[in-house]
Amino acid sequence: MAHPASPSSSAHSFGDSARKIDHLVFPVADIGVARERYEQLGFTVAPNGKHPFGTENCCVFFADGTFLEPLGIAHRETCEAQALKGHTFVRNDQTYRFRRGLEGFSHIVIKSEDAAADHAAFKKDGISGGRRVRFSRGFKTPDGEKGRVSFLLSFAADPRAPDAGFFSCEVASPPKVDRSALQRHANGVTGLRAIIGCEPNPTDFQYFFQSFLSQRHMETDSFSMSFQTPTCEVAVYTPEGMRAFFGLDGEKTERGVQFKVSVLSVPDLASTKALLKNNEVNFFEHRGRIVVPAGEGQGATLLFEETAS
């Protein structure tokens, strides 16, 4: 594969049907702490959004159309009741928090124009992750403008990887708002470059990723398996690969994909580094990139990589 330290893999071919990444879900213990943390990291954070099933978020939007979703618990009793009723999104979130703790990286989400068709395709391919979810919620822009937005979610799952969640997201009634201000970040991040998971034998999950991403072409080597999507790269590394390419502890004896790292594009790494230093963010440098290990309110490890505009 083209590792993040290598030249861009955007030249790799992928079919017209290859799915675009929409966003990543990061469970956090406290949404207020998450907001403070992401602002410390130099991000512009959107106003909080509350879900009717008890969770809430404070999203970070990027100019490439992707975003990060720190996800907190707004009303525990509501979440627990919804999970007992089989609400797929809440059930998955509750399961992740029970197994992995209150902070982490739980879901990869792809964009959808037809969530019902996705649900049917997931069932046909044997990767359905449960019942679809439809919901609406209110939103507020930084300027105070209010509105409502509706979503349809369809889920995929591999029971061998209980800590890795997947779903497609159709925005049924897109809000007519200008997000350009929310997409400008002091740290310079312009978008999502790669999503990194870890598993001792990545190719055991080849079929699942090919099906979910609708991408047959993949690249493999002794350290990883990777897929290029129209939005970014999705890769699964061995523990040895995590140490070699990201400088992260790759000790892991249990099986099953776990999401570990979000790689973010910046135009000027020196400027990003200066901001992080000024904001007293602990980080280290590895293979020409900045690595901010996961910490309270952050969910996942973030890696900043300089890429050509």
Side-chain angles (χ1 to χ4, degrees):
M1 69 170 287
H3 298 292
S6 304
S8 171
S9 58
S10 61
H12 294 171
S13 62
F14 46 80
D16 292 338
S17 63
R19 305 301 292 269
K20 295 180 179 179
I21 301 300
D22 188 65
H23 69 279
L24 311 178
V25 181
F26 297 162
V28 296
D30 185 298
I31 206 70
V33 172
R35 174 176 294 279
E36 292 177 359
R37 176 58 172 173
Y38 276 85
E39 289 176 346
Q40 181 188 24
L41 289 166
F43 292 104
T44 301
V45 184
N48 288 12
K50 290 193 174 182
H51 302 138
F53 34 81
T55 54
E56 63 180 336
N57 62 28
C58 61
C59 296
V60 176
F61 296 100
F62 301 133
D64 68 351
T66 64
F67 65 97
L68 308 180
E69 182 186 12
L71 182 75
I73 304 297
H75 195 267
R76 185 168 302 280
E77 291 79 5
T78 299
C79 285
E80 291 174 350
Q82 290 295 318
L84 288 173
K85 292 179 180 178
H87 190 288
T88 312
F89 180 82
V90 180
R91 182 196 63 194
N92 289 355
D93 181 63
Q94 294 276 298
T95 300
Y96 184 92
R97 292 172 190 269
F98 178 81
R99 286 179 51 82
R100 310 308 310 182
L102 299 181
E103 303 263 344
F105 181 174
S106 62
H107 287 81
I108 293 177
V109 187
I110 55 176
K111 296 181 184 294
S112 177
E113 296 182 356
D114 189 340
D118 290 340
H119 181 68
F122 295 158
K123 290 183 68 175
K124 180 180 178 181
D125 289 348
I127 64 168
S128 175
R131 297 189 314 201
R132 288 177 291 166
V133 169
R134 178 193 297 265
F135 71 98
S136 299
R137 69 167 177 84
F139 69 89
K140 183 171 66 174
T141 69
D143 296 331
E145 180 184 350
K146 296 181 179 180
R148 292 194 69 78
V149 59
S150 298
F151 303 91
L152 291 89
L153 315 180
S154 291
F155 297 83
D158 187 323
R160 301 171 302 166
D163 302 319
F166 306 82
F167 63 91
S168 71
C169 179
E170 176 186 353
V171 184
S173 54
K176 297 179 181 179
V177 296
D178 182 2
R179 280 184 176 165
S180 57
L182 291 173
Q183 295 171 346
R184 291 192 291 269
H185 305 285
N187 57 24
V189 171
T190 57
L192 186 61
R193 178 158 172 77
I195 302 163
I196 308 299
C198 183
E199 148 63 29
N201 190 8
T203 55
D204 280 354
F205 293 85
Q206 170 184 343
Y207 172 77
F208 177 86
F209 278 94
Q210 286 177 322
S211 180
F212 178 69
L213 297 173
S214 189
Q215 169 60 292
R216 303 301 299 174
H217 177 75
M218 70 174 189
E219 296 199 9
T220 61
D221 58 28
S222 59
F223 290 112
S224 67
M225 167 184 73
S226 69
F227 301 87
Q228 185 65 36
T229 77
T231 318
C232 70
E233 184 179 49
V234 178
V236 181
Y237 281 74
T238 64
E240 296 77 15
M242 295 298 294
R243 287 192 291 271
F245 290 95
F246 306 103
L248 297 171
D249 181 10
E251 292 299 329
K252 181 175 180 292
T253 56
E254 62 185 304
R255 297 298 308 274
V257 175
Q258 291 181 23
F259 304 135
K260 294 293 186 180
V261 180
S262 172
V263 183
L264 306 171
S265 296
V266 297
D268 183 355
L269 197 62
S271 295
T272 305
K273 180 178 177 180
L275 180 141
L276 295 175
K277 280 187 173 181
N278 186 63
N279 290 356
E280 299 182 340
V281 173
N282 291 322
F283 65 87
F284 64 90
E285 296 179 70
H286 187 77
R287 299 174 68 94
R289 297 162 291 177
I290 293 173
V291 182
V292 181
E296 187 177 9
Q298 188 175 313
T301 294
L302 300 180
L303 188 152
F304 298 88
E305 179 178 359
E306 185 171 314
T307 55
S309 57

